[in-house]
Amino acid sequence: MIDNPHKYYDSLKKESLPCPVCDTTKNTVLLNKDRYSMGIQTVICEKCALIHVNPRPTEKEMSRFYEENYREFYESIDVPTEEYINNGPFIPRASFVMD
């Protein structure tokens, strides 16, 4: 279990990348806050106004996050049980989408 989301996010290897839309590297920081208090930096591109995270965790770090820690942040569960899968909080939303 991750006790300190900000410390966890700080420990991830990150990379600064150019804007995925216009390829510029000129950004303005909008926020250093997020709903999980990780300290994620959100920027706006000065050329095309795309809002994105930069720097961001590397592809390897993101893969590891989704394999090992995603559920802790977004579902408050480490390993889903069969009961959780069958009755989880996503069932009402899935039913709504299906309808």
Side-chain angles (χ1 to χ4, degrees):
M1 189 70 164
I2 296 172
D3 295 327
N4 186 329
H6 188 73
K7 189 174 180 179
Y8 168 78
Y9 188 74
D10 276 350
S11 74
L12 300 179
K13 184 177 179 182
K14 295 173 199 67
E15 58 190 352
S16 290
L17 297 172
C19 176
V21 173
C22 69
D23 208 38
T24 190
T25 57
K26 295 181 181 179
N27 298 306
T28 299
V29 175
L30 295 177
L31 296 168
N32 283 311
K33 293 176 74 174
D34 56 274
R35 67 180 173 175
Y36 297 105
S37 299
M38 295 175 87
I40 295 171
Q41 181 173 279
T42 303
V43 300
I44 185 167
C45 174
E46 293 179 12
K47 185 174 178 184
C48 72
L50 177 74
I51 297 173
H52 59 284
V53 172
N54 203 10
R56 67 181 189 195
T58 64
E59 185 176 340
K60 183 177 179 179
E61 292 284 21
M62 289 305 294
S63 292
R64 186 169 59 102
F65 171 77
Y66 281 107
E67 289 172 9
E68 299 174 12
N69 304 111
Y70 171 79
R71 283 191 172 84
E72 290 179 56
F73 284 96
Y74 296 96
E75 297 179 9
S76 301
I77 188 170
D78 291 333
V79 178
T81 62
E82 185 175 340
E83 180 182 351
Y84 178 82
I85 292 169
N86 291 330
N87 301 308
F90 48 84
I91 298 298
R93 178 163 164 63
S95 296
F96 172 78
V97 171
M98 294 277 298
D99 289 343

